[in-house]
mmCIF file of all heavy atoms in Angstrom:
data_model
loop_
_atom_site.group_PDB
_atom_site.id
_atom_site.type_symbol
_atom_site.label_atom_id
_atom_site.label_comp_id
_atom_site.label_asym_id
_atom_site.label_seq_id
_atom_site.Cartn_x
_atom_site.Cartn_y
_atom_site.Cartn_z
ATOM 1 N N LYS A 511 -3.346 -9.350 -3.440
ATOM 2 C CA LYS A 511 -2.500 -10.347 -2.801
ATOM 3 C C LYS A 511 -1.015 -10.106 -3.100
ATOM 4 O O LYS A 511 -0.211 -10.014 -2.171
ATOM 5 C CB LYS A 511 -2.930 -11.759 -3.217
ATOM 6 C CG LYS A 511 -2.507 -12.805 -2.219
ATOM 7 C CD LYS A 511 -2.796 -14.211 -2.702
ATOM 8 C CE LYS A 511 -4.273 -14.563 -2.578
ATOM 9 N NZ LYS A 511 -4.521 -15.952 -3.083
ATOM 10 N N PRO A 512 -0.643 -9.956 -4.385
ATOM 11 C CA PRO A 512 0.760 -9.640 -4.642
ATOM 12 C C PRO A 512 1.223 -8.335 -3.982
ATOM 13 O O PRO A 512 2.350 -8.253 -3.500
ATOM 14 C CB PRO A 512 0.850 -9.550 -6.170
ATOM 15 C CG PRO A 512 -0.505 -9.711 -6.699
ATOM 16 C CD PRO A 512 -1.388 -10.237 -5.621
ATOM 17 N N LEU A 513 0.332 -7.342 -3.932
ATOM 18 C CA LEU A 513 0.713 -6.077 -3.291
ATOM 19 C C LEU A 513 1.011 -6.279 -1.814
ATOM 20 O O LEU A 513 1.986 -5.758 -1.274
ATOM 21 C CB LEU A 513 -0.421 -5.048 -3.423
ATOM 22 C CG LEU A 513 -0.520 -4.276 -4.716
ATOM 23 C CD1 LEU A 513 -1.811 -3.471 -4.731
ATOM 24 C CD2 LEU A 513 0.674 -3.353 -4.902
ATOM 25 N N TYR A 514 0.136 -7.039 -1.183
ATOM 26 C CA TYR A 514 0.317 -7.262 0.246
ATOM 27 C C TYR A 514 1.620 -8.030 0.500
ATOM 28 O O TYR A 514 2.386 -7.704 1.401
ATOM 29 C CB TYR A 514 -0.879 -8.024 0.817
ATOM 30 C CG TYR A 514 -0.733 -8.328 2.284
ATOM 31 C CD1 TYR A 514 -0.657 -7.296 3.218
ATOM 32 C CD2 TYR A 514 -0.642 -9.640 2.746
ATOM 33 C CE1 TYR A 514 -0.498 -7.558 4.565
ATOM 34 C CE2 TYR A 514 -0.486 -9.915 4.094
ATOM 35 C CZ TYR A 514 -0.415 -8.870 4.993
ATOM 36 O OH TYR A 514 -0.247 -9.134 6.325
ATOM 37 N N ILE A 515 1.872 -9.013 -0.321
ATOM 38 C CA ILE A 515 3.095 -9.799 -0.151
ATOM 39 C C ILE A 515 4.338 -8.936 -0.389
ATOM 40 O O ILE A 515 5.250 -8.910 0.423
ATOM 41 C CB ILE A 515 3.077 -11.022 -1.090
ATOM 42 C CG1 ILE A 515 2.004 -12.006 -0.610
ATOM 43 C CG2 ILE A 515 4.440 -11.708 -1.124
ATOM 44 C CD1 ILE A 515 1.718 -13.124 -1.579
ATOM 45 N N ILE A 516 4.319 -8.190 -1.475
ATOM 46 C CA ILE A 516 5.505 -7.398 -1.808
ATOM 47 C C ILE A 516 5.759 -6.320 -0.753
ATOM 48 O O ILE A 516 6.899 -5.930 -0.511
ATOM 49 C CB ILE A 516 5.392 -6.785 -3.232
ATOM 50 C CG1 ILE A 516 6.771 -6.483 -3.812
ATOM 51 C CG2 ILE A 516 4.581 -5.525 -3.267
ATOM 52 C CD1 ILE A 516 7.468 -7.663 -4.337
ATOM 53 N N SER A 517 4.685 -5.867 -0.099
ATOM 54 C CA SER A 517 4.879 -4.789 0.881
ATOM 55 C C SER A 517 5.604 -5.287 2.132
ATOM 56 O O SER A 517 5.962 -4.489 2.993
ATOM 57 C CB SER A 517 3.554 -4.092 1.221
ATOM 58 O OG SER A 517 2.740 -4.903 2.004
ATOM 59 N N HIS A 518 5.839 -6.592 2.238
ATOM 60 C CA HIS A 518 6.697 -7.094 3.319
ATOM 61 C C HIS A 518 8.178 -6.950 2.972
ATOM 62 O O HIS A 518 9.038 -7.050 3.834
ATOM 63 C CB HIS A 518 6.414 -8.571 3.593
ATOM 64 C CG HIS A 518 5.107 -8.806 4.280
ATOM 65 N ND1 HIS A 518 3.903 -8.765 3.617
ATOM 66 C CD2 HIS A 518 4.818 -9.074 5.569
ATOM 67 C CE1 HIS A 518 2.931 -9.004 4.478
ATOM 68 N NE2 HIS A 518 3.463 -9.204 5.665
ATOM 69 N N TYR A 519 8.455 -6.789 1.689
ATOM 70 C CA TYR A 519 9.842 -6.746 1.242
ATOM 71 C C TYR A 519 10.328 -5.337 0.953
ATOM 72 O O TYR A 519 11.520 -5.109 0.812
ATOM 73 C CB TYR A 519 10.014 -7.586 -0.030
ATOM 74 C CG TYR A 519 9.908 -9.060 0.253
ATOM 75 C CD1 TYR A 519 8.681 -9.700 0.243
ATOM 76 C CD2 TYR A 519 11.039 -9.795 0.563
ATOM 77 C CE1 TYR A 519 8.570 -11.046 0.527
ATOM 78 C CE2 TYR A 519 10.947 -11.140 0.847
ATOM 79 C CZ TYR A 519 9.715 -11.756 0.829
ATOM 80 O OH TYR A 519 9.621 -13.083 1.123
ATOM 81 N N ILE A 520 9.382 -4.441 0.793
ATOM 82 C CA ILE A 520 9.756 -3.063 0.495
ATOM 83 C C ILE A 520 9.581 -2.274 1.781
ATOM 84 O O ILE A 520 8.465 -2.127 2.259
ATOM 85 C CB ILE A 520 8.894 -2.513 -0.660
ATOM 86 C CG1 ILE A 520 9.136 -3.433 -1.868
ATOM 87 C CG2 ILE A 520 9.241 -1.068 -0.971
ATOM 88 C CD1 ILE A 520 8.449 -3.034 -3.107
ATOM 89 N N PRO A 521 10.691 -1.821 2.356
ATOM 90 C CA PRO A 521 10.591 -1.142 3.646
ATOM 91 C C PRO A 521 9.632 0.040 3.551
ATOM 92 O O PRO A 521 9.532 0.683 2.505
ATOM 93 C CB PRO A 521 12.019 -0.656 3.913
ATOM 94 C CG PRO A 521 12.900 -1.451 3.028
ATOM 95 C CD PRO A 521 12.080 -1.848 1.841
ATOM 96 N N PHE A 522 8.938 0.316 4.637
ATOM 97 C CA PHE A 522 8.001 1.440 4.637
ATOM 98 C C PHE A 522 8.729 2.732 4.289
ATOM 99 O O PHE A 522 9.857 2.953 4.690
ATOM 100 C CB PHE A 522 7.338 1.572 6.014
ATOM 101 C CG PHE A 522 6.197 0.610 6.209
ATOM 102 C CD1 PHE A 522 5.918 -0.374 5.272
ATOM 103 C CD2 PHE A 522 5.387 0.707 7.335
ATOM 104 C CE1 PHE A 522 4.858 -1.252 5.452
ATOM 105 C CE2 PHE A 522 4.328 -0.167 7.528
ATOM 106 C CZ PHE A 522 4.056 -1.146 6.598
#
Side-chain angles (χ1 to χ4, degrees):
K511 203 186 284 179
L513 278 172
Y514 178 63
I515 291 170
I516 204 78
S517 72
H518 288 78
Y519 289 88
I520 301 183
F522 279 7

